[in-house]
Amino acid sequence: MSEWIRIRVKDFYTDAIGETEYTYVTKEVYEALTETFRKEAHAQEMRDLRHVTKEGYTEGETEDLAFDSGESLEDMVIRQMELETLQKAMQSLTEVQRERLHLYFFEGLTYRQIAEKKRIGEKNVRESITGAIKKIKKFFD
């Protein structure tokens, strides 16, 4: 019998109504959804690259931010700098740490659930996630 995985519908179907609608899918369906989501994100990234100059300016980006957010220019710059710092921090992590952080923060799994899913000790999971968080915090100090 296949393992059932709980997913938040909004994570896979952006047009879904409601933030907290969950469903259960088989591991095979989950993997297919995840792969499709990854491919769609990659395709969008490639489409976006066509509108980026070599200096890093994205066509329409400034105008969109100025009119849509209601955020001050200073706040937008600070937020962008924080996002860039977070990206650098995430890139400094190992693949295992990134995966465990994703499971913990975005999928809402506990240390124990991650340990069971990955067939490793709970202590390893806790130390891995704690180490990853410390490493990320160093980038913001």
Side-chain angles (χ1 to χ4, degrees):
M1 183 116 204
S2 186
E3 173 185 347
W4 288 92
I5 300 172
R6 182 177 182 222
I7 64 168
R8 191 174 81 162
V9 176
K10 191 83 168 170
D11 291 340
F12 294 96
Y13 299 100
T14 54
D15 295 335
I17 298 171
E19 284 289 319
T20 57
E21 295 298 320
Y22 292 90
T23 190
Y24 289 88
V25 297
T26 64
K27 185 174 183 179
E28 294 79 15
V29 170
Y30 174 77
E31 289 171 357
L33 284 171
T34 303
E35 182 64 15
T36 300
F37 185 72
R38 186 194 63 75
K39 285 180 180 178
E40 287 175 1
H42 178 71
Q44 182 61 46
E45 194 175 291
M46 293 297 105
R47 285 190 296 273
D48 290 346
L49 282 176
R50 285 184 261 162
H51 301 288
V52 177
T53 65
K54 65 181 178 182
E55 291 82 24
Y57 171 75
T58 302
E59 181 181 336
E61 187 175 75
T62 307
E63 294 84 356
D64 290 344
L65 288 173
F67 294 114
D68 292 342
S69 70
E71 192 175 28
S72 74
L73 181 59
E74 181 179 312
D75 288 341
M76 285 189 291
V77 170
I78 290 170
R79 184 171 43 81
Q80 184 63 36
M81 290 171 62
E82 288 173 343
L83 285 172
E84 289 172 6
T85 302
L86 180 58
Q87 285 178 330
K88 288 177 186 172
M90 291 299 290
Q91 289 171 356
S92 76
L93 301 177
T94 67
E95 183 63 34
V96 170
Q97 286 176 316
R98 282 193 298 270
E99 179 185 23
R100 291 176 184 169
L101 278 178
H102 177 80
L103 292 170
Y104 185 74
F105 285 107
F106 296 102
E107 293 192 25
L109 299 180
T110 64
Y111 295 144
R112 177 174 290 152
Q113 290 169 324
I114 296 169
E116 289 171 359
K117 182 176 184 153
K118 297 297 176 182
R119 295 183 175 93
I120 57 174
E122 187 177 340
K123 182 180 177 187
N124 288 344
V125 173
R126 184 175 42 259
E127 289 175 353
S128 178
I129 291 173
T130 302
I133 292 169
K134 285 180 183 177
K135 204 179 225 185
I136 289 170
K137 283 182 178 180
K138 286 181 183 179
F139 277 81
F140 287 94
D141 288 341

